[in-house]
Amino acid sequence: MVQEHLKLLTAPVDRAFAGKAPWQIVAITTSTVLGAIWLWELLSEDESLYSRFKRSFFKLARRIPSVRQKIETEIAKINEGFTKDAAQYGQFTTVLPQDGLKQDQILQKVDEYLALGHYKWKEGFISGAVYYFNPDLVKLVTEVYGKASYTNPLHADVFPGICKMEAEVIRMTATLFNGSAKACGTMTTGGTESIMMACKAYRDYGRDVKGITKPNIVLPVTAHTAFDKSAKYFGMFTKTVPIDPATTEVDVKAMERAINRNTVMLVGSAPNYPYGTMDNIEAIAKLGKKYNIPVHVDACLGGFLIIFMRRAGYEVKPFDFSLDGVTSISADTHKYGFTPKGSSVILYSEKKYRHYQYTVTTDWPGGVYGSPTVNGSRAGGIIAATWATMMNFGLDGYVEATKRIIDTARYIEAQLRKVDSIYVFGTPATSVVAIGSKDFDIFRLSAELNSLGWNLNSLQFPSGIHICVTYMHTQDGIADKFVNDVRTKVALVMKNPEKPVEGKMAIYGVAQAVPDREVIGDFTKCFIDSMYYTPDSH
């Protein structure tokens, strides 16, 4: 009976090999096995077949001479425009001066350079970017930074005081995020580095503990692009999950479906950058526990607001280490912590994760080397200035600032909801209020507001703009002026709602419609190049 079954199973193989020479049988078998391996690899990849096909299609299309020429022509036009913008800021120094400048000359030039640009950021016309400005605080941190400008925590034995300051910043912050005595972390140079460190830690943890060699990150489509940047740096793959179009919060069920054996971390935002809404961190933490996967909460943007909101009288959904399953949190001190730029923290629930963040080399001729973050040498002055700012504000100072900012953001949100022809995305959790329109191109409104001096952030998929409310917007009359300007400009736009957007804002609309995203990437590279523009000195 068994032999009959075996004959039935092997009959197709027998027919395939009938009359074949031994070398032909080996060739057929090898090609079949390799084909099966190739198919398995293809199907087990995290990236969809559609995405790979689309990328390959456009790559081939760009090789067609007429297509390539058209793209190069458009890139040249874009590059010319960016270069023209960069060249408007007067003379550039392109060679080192023969004799060093006097101190008063240098300070005069610094003042001249800092005065370039036309946006009135001190008056509160900017979305985000500058979160606090007070001459007395500037004076304090300038003096503190000056005292510590020569220090380097890499040499802990030489500068133990700077290391002590960093340790205190981490402990104070971990306590604010409801971390236990086991909670730990490090300071970094900004939110991107904090996110990168978490990704690096979980990549190495997944490889060492679970044997994962093709790590992926499961995250909302609204999660900060620093995760994508980290994945590119560390050889990881990002599996983006859709959001609920009404709430703009991540679809938790879709997140669960995206998890596989290669998933090394789950991500939730508190809040996200585009819409300022907060994902259901509690549900994500439960997924982390269920599948034994670390959960990272990105609180880079609003972290130093959300930790004070309950004390300021606002209800906040759970999001921090009080949730079993949350294993790390990133938060920028240089945003609503009001410290100088270049300061952030990455926190972990316990040391075992932080250890995988470290880089240690034991066999270098220069000695045993270990560093906690991307940098080896680090700026002790920034650590000292961050510590000084936090000590200067104190708990009550942060709570008071949070109340003013959230009050202002909620007021702006409520007023914008009363304006016809625009809508607010979701329910803002902290300070970001995003708006769109179903009646006209929202980038027209952005351009009109820009003409009045407002600088807002542009969103895509779908089109939108947002204002990130800072302490600067709590100044008398600023919130009312913004709302009134929006109301006036919406009425103007609605006189001819079908009119297409013109000028620079048109680029945002066009960019969304271009299916080949690599072309948009080329345009972006041109813009970055323009940031380093100097005239040809030859």
Side-chain angles (χ1 to χ4, degrees), residues 318-499:
F319 67 94
D320 55 17
F321 289 127
S322 61
L323 291 173
D324 187 21
V326 171
T327 55
S328 60
I329 300 172
S330 53
D332 287 357
T333 42
H334 70 195
K335 289 189 172 74
Y336 293 101
F338 308 134
T339 70
K341 293 299 179 184
S343 171
S344 178
V345 296
I346 172 65
L347 305 171
Y348 298 97
S349 58
E350 50 186 311
K351 287 182 181 178
K352 72 175 183 178
Y353 298 118
R354 184 174 65 173
H355 284 171
Y356 286 98
Q357 174 183 306
Y358 298 163
T359 299
V360 177
T361 303
T362 58
D363 300 323
W364 180 41
V368 176
Y369 179 88
S371 63
T373 61
V374 170
N375 297 300
S377 292
R378 292 187 290 152
I382 286 293
I383 293 173
T386 298
W387 177 88
T389 302
M390 293 179 69
M391 297 295 282
N392 182 248
F393 265 89
L395 182 61
D396 289 344
Y398 278 123
V399 171
E400 174 59 27
T402 296
K403 181 170 176 52
R404 291 188 62 175
I405 292 167
I406 299 301
D407 283 351
T408 301
R410 296 290 166 87
Y411 173 76
I412 289 174
E413 176 196 349
Q415 296 303 309
L416 291 179
R417 289 188 185 277
K418 298 176 183 178
V419 180
D420 292 335
S421 300
I422 63 172
Y423 63 89
V424 174
F425 286 93
T427 302
T430 55
S431 58
V432 172
V433 183
I435 58 176
S437 176
K438 297 178 181 178
D439 299 328
F440 62 88
D441 189 331
I442 195 66
F443 296 137
R444 282 188 62 198
L445 175 60
S446 184
E448 290 290 345
L449 291 171
N450 189 269
S451 70
L452 298 179
W454 295 101
N455 181 276
L456 306 181
N457 301 98
S458 300
L459 315 174
Q460 60 178 354
F461 310 128
S463 297
I465 56 177
H466 83 213
I467 181 169
C468 179
V469 178
T470 69
Y471 198 85
M472 313 302 288
H473 298 107
T474 67
Q475 300 175 75
D476 290 343
I478 295 299
D480 281 323
K481 176 169 178 51
F482 176 71
V483 171
N484 289 333
D485 285 347
V486 169
R487 188 179 291 114
T488 299
K489 290 302 184 179
V490 166
L492 176 64
V493 170
M494 285 303 295
K495 290 181 179 179
N496 186 6
E498 301 300 325
K499 181 181 178 181

Side-chain angles (χ1 to χ4, degrees), residues 205-326:
Y205 176 80
R207 180 171 54 199
D208 187 42
V209 176
K210 300 180 180 179
I212 297 173
T213 58
K214 294 183 178 180
N216 69 58
I217 307 167
V218 175
L219 71 169
V221 69
T222 49
H224 198 277
T225 188
F227 290 97
D228 184 61
K229 184 176 186 177
S230 301
K232 291 174 180 176
Y233 270 54
F234 299 136
M236 305 170 76
F237 183 79
T238 52
K239 298 185 70 175
T240 53
V241 178
I243 59 173
D244 182 304
T247 65
T248 69
E249 297 174 17
V250 67
D251 183 335
V252 178
K253 291 183 179 179
M255 175 170 273
E256 183 169 16
R257 289 194 298 269
I259 294 171
N260 64 19
R261 60 189 175 88
N262 291 324
T263 302
V264 295
M265 65 187 292
L266 306 179
V267 174
S269 303
N272 62 54
Y273 170 84
Y275 311 117
T277 52
M278 186 167 77
D279 293 317
N280 188 340
I281 305 300
E282 187 171 13
I284 298 173
K286 288 180 179 178
L287 286 182
K289 292 292 292 183
K290 179 178 179 180
Y291 293 100
N292 189 29
I293 300 173
V295 172
H296 179 79
V297 176
D298 175 24
C300 285
L301 176 57
F304 273 80
L305 285 176
I306 204 165
I307 53 177
F308 302 114
M309 282 178 63
R310 285 196 182 94
R311 294 180 176 90
Y314 285 97
E315 290 294 323
V316 179
K317 292 184 292 185
F319 67 94
D320 55 17
F321 289 127
S322 61
L323 291 173
D324 187 21
V326 171

Side-chain angles (χ1 to χ4, degrees), residues 441 443 460 501 505-515 517 520 523:
D441 189 331
F443 296 137
Q460 60 178 354
V501 64
M505 293 309 302
I507 295 175
Y508 292 100
V510 172
Q512 295 177 81
V514 176
R517 305 312 292 171
I520 305 304
F523 291 167

